[in-house]
Amino acid sequence: MASAESTTEDEPEAETAVETARRQLEHAATHLDVSDGVIERLRQATSVYKVTIPLERDDGTTEVFTGYRAHHDNVRGPYKGGIRYHPDVSEEECVGLSMWMTWKCAVMGIPFGGGKGGVVVDPKELSKGEKERLTRRFAQELRPVIGPMTDIPAPDMGTDPQTMAWFMDAYSMQEGETQPGIVTGKPPVIGGSYGREEAPGRSVGIIAREAIDYYGWAVEETTVAVQGFGSVGANAARYLDDLGATVVAVSDVDGAIYDPHGLDTNDVEDHDETPGMVSGYDAPETLSNDDLLELDVDILIPAAIGNVLTAENAHDVQADMIIEGANGPTTSTADQIFEERGIPVIPDFLANAGGVTVSYFEWLQDINRRAWSLERVNDELETEMLGAWEAICTEQEARDISWRDAAYVVALRRIAEAHEARGLWP
Ligand code: GLU
């Protein structure tokens, strides 16, 4: 029987996030002169915390949920990364996602390492009160391993600014002082940053704009399909629509809407605003989420969940370029197929890095107790995204490697140099 490490195109894949992340790391490491010891260390998380979270349900019964927080690497600064509420959360997923956070912060040059956490729960099955109690207790269980200078959580799938507000309040109450810097992605009224919610989608849009320019396309003639019309997908779609691109399809978990002449993305309510409104929108055609991935468009943006582009459908993808909005939407086999087919894939840890970049701005604002204007946030985000894009373009051209490998080269070099400079203790 073939092991997971030797999956071929003919076999169905069962690839976990950590497997994908490790394969990508090993592949990218071949392009760089980094010591085996550093790579071996980066294949593993520093630690993974597992906690149990008892929750009193609204009917008076008690249910116990499992939560995790993975710390991957903090050589460049505090662990940083989101908290996910989803039934598929697992230790492996948190480790894989925390690895991507390490690369994401390094590629952006922001002084954080990689962390990720989550609770194995379907948030749709929780009332607002239950979600609040679960969040407060999770914050309390994680308190020994997080802190504004050690590990700073943020929103991710199934969590939002309100979740961060409860988390920050629970932590602050226990600490005896208001500590806004314990999480990012909070509402601006309690130290959140303007522009943080839109930032991951906005950065996907900025990178798409730069990639369109790089390949000499005209934005007005570019067609786009976006899987997932939540905070990342909707903001990316609207950004590109506003630039003049034609967004022909968007989807939510129930299905996709399609208009070959272009949808008015500002008229479609996003999944977070009103669940069900995307697939319920009055559009000329509806499609399945699988069909959306195979549309003949210039740019495909998978912005929903991980592992949607696989060995099964990679040969049928007709897009000329893929820009990853979700974390880990492409399995390693699919990635190989796209490389062979000459379809550029711009990686998640660059494209959606606007989220953690504005999280960094938020953390700075919290330390200084001084808010930045939306204009300043967006200007600085633009500058940071362009800086990262240029560094990656330079590597991609100099080495003739994929966009993903080029982004890894930039990130790994910074991380390896930091490890080398600091050395091992004791
Ligand atoms: N969850 C987001 C991500 O995957 C944001 C992390 C953060 O802002 O810390 O990038």
Side-chain angles (χ1 to χ4, degrees):
M1 200 177 84
S3 76
E5 297 297 320
S6 63
T7 304
T8 70
E9 275 183 45
D10 305 326
E11 294 165 331
E13 298 161 293
E15 189 168 280
T16 63
V18 71
E19 281 165 354
T20 309
R22 285 192 180 134
R23 284 180 193 164
Q24 290 174 355
L25 170 65
E26 283 151 17
H27 190 252
T30 61
H31 300 294
L32 260 186
D33 188 20
V34 176
S35 84
D36 291 349
V38 169
I39 296 299
E40 182 51 32
R41 183 167 173 181
L42 294 173
R43 290 181 84 257
Q44 330 255 356
T46 303
S47 23
V48 189
Y49 299 93
K50 181 177 176 184
V51 297
T52 45
I53 313 156
L55 168 73
E56 186 178 334
R57 304 296 304 241
D58 290 343
D59 66 5
T61 59
T62 299
E63 201 170 329
V64 181
F65 293 89
T66 303
Y68 301 96
R69 185 73 184 166
H71 287 169
H72 175 242
D73 185 85
N74 66 350
V75 72
R76 301 181 62 262
Y79 299 108
K80 185 82 190 83
I83 283 182
R84 182 173 278 203
Y85 288 176
H86 194 275
D88 296 338
V89 164
S90 66
E91 179 171 336
E92 288 74 24
E93 185 185 66
C94 290
V95 172
L97 291 164
S98 71
M99 290 170 73
W100 283 319
M101 286 309 302
T102 304
W103 324 141
K104 201 180 285 194
C105 295
V107 93
M108 294 307 302
I110 56 183
F112 288 140
K116 199 77 164 204
V119 179
V120 190
V121 63
D122 184 351
K124 289 198 275 310
E125 283 171 12
L126 298 175
S127 68
K128 190 174 177 209
E130 289 171 335
K131 194 170 176 185
E132 175 174 353
R133 292 196 290 281
L134 182 84
T135 301
R136 289 182 180 280
R137 183 62 183 253
F138 188 39
Q140 169 59 18
E141 297 300 338
L142 289 186
R143 209 157 65 85
V145 299
I146 58 173
M149 295 297 155
T150 49
D151 176 10
I152 305 135
D156 199 88
M157 277 166 63
T159 57
D160 57 15
Q162 177 61 70
T163 323
M164 295 304 111
W166 292 323
F167 197 105
M168 175 273 215
D169 184 67
Y171 184 88
S172 297
M173 294 308 287
Q174 290 293 77
E175 292 291 307
E177 59 181 33
T178 296
Q179 294 249 9
I182 180 59
V183 286
T184 57
K186 302 174 294 294
V189 70
I190 52 165
S193 179
Y194 295 116
R196 170 62 185 81
E197 258 194 289
E198 301 79 20
R202 191 176 179 86
S203 68
V204 170
I206 293 172
I207 292 299
R209 185 196 72 204
E210 291 306 306
I212 288 170
D213 187 52
Y214 180 90
Y215 285 104
W217 303 354
V219 73
E220 301 76 22
E221 286 162 24
T222 303
T223 54
V224 184
V226 182
Q227 186 192 41
F229 204 65
S231 108
V232 181
N235 284 299
R238 288 173 186 158
Y239 185 90
L240 290 168
D241 192 5
D242 291 348
L243 276 186
T246 307
V247 179
V248 296
V250 300
S251 71
D252 65 14
V253 64
D254 300 316
I257 49 174
Y258 176 64
D259 184 343
H261 303 294
L263 295 158
D264 178 357
T265 56
N266 287 298
D267 196 48
V268 185
E269 280 180 78
D270 81 41
H271 188 62
D272 298 336
E273 284 156 6
T274 322
M277 279 312 282
V278 180
S279 42
Y281 187 78
D282 183 21
E285 272 184 64
T286 56
L287 302 171
S288 70
N289 260 298
D290 291 345
D291 292 340
L292 178 145
L293 296 172
E294 296 172 14
L295 279 176
D296 187 4
V297 286
D298 297 311
I299 297 182
L300 172 65
I301 303 179
I305 50 170
N307 280 350
V308 293
L309 298 171
T310 66
E312 309 262 299
N313 62 5
H315 283 293
D316 300 320
V317 166
Q318 296 184 64
D320 294 315
M321 173 155 55
I322 296 163
I323 300 184
E324 296 182 328
N327 290 315
T330 313
T331 66
S332 346
T333 317
D335 220 18
Q336 244 175 47
I337 297 171
F338 293 138
E339 205 166 338
E340 283 156 20
R341 293 185 59 207
I343 301 173
V345 181
I346 315 271
D348 44 8
F349 69 91
L350 166 70
N352 71 25
V356 75
T357 303
V358 177
S359 277
Y360 171 54
F361 300 161
E362 180 172 331
W363 184 74
L364 294 176
Q365 294 170 66
D366 290 339
I367 290 172
N368 288 306
R369 297 290 202 270
R370 190 153 196 272
W372 298 6
S373 68
L374 177 61
E375 197 187 2
R376 175 169 176 196
V377 168
N378 284 341
D379 281 355
E380 297 217 14
L381 175 62
E382 170 86 14
T383 307
E384 299 300 330
M385 294 312 303
L386 289 185
W389 172 252
E390 274 156 29
I392 290 166
C393 283
T394 305
E395 293 301 337
Q396 190 256 2
E397 281 167 12
R399 295 166 189 264
D400 194 20
I401 51 179
S402 69
W403 290 104
R404 192 185 311 280
D405 282 348
Y408 265 98
V409 166
V410 172
L412 276 180
R413 188 189 295 125
R414 291 176 181 163
I415 297 161
E417 281 174 5
H419 273 289
E420 216 149 282
R422 287 181 59 165
L424 282 185
W425 185 88

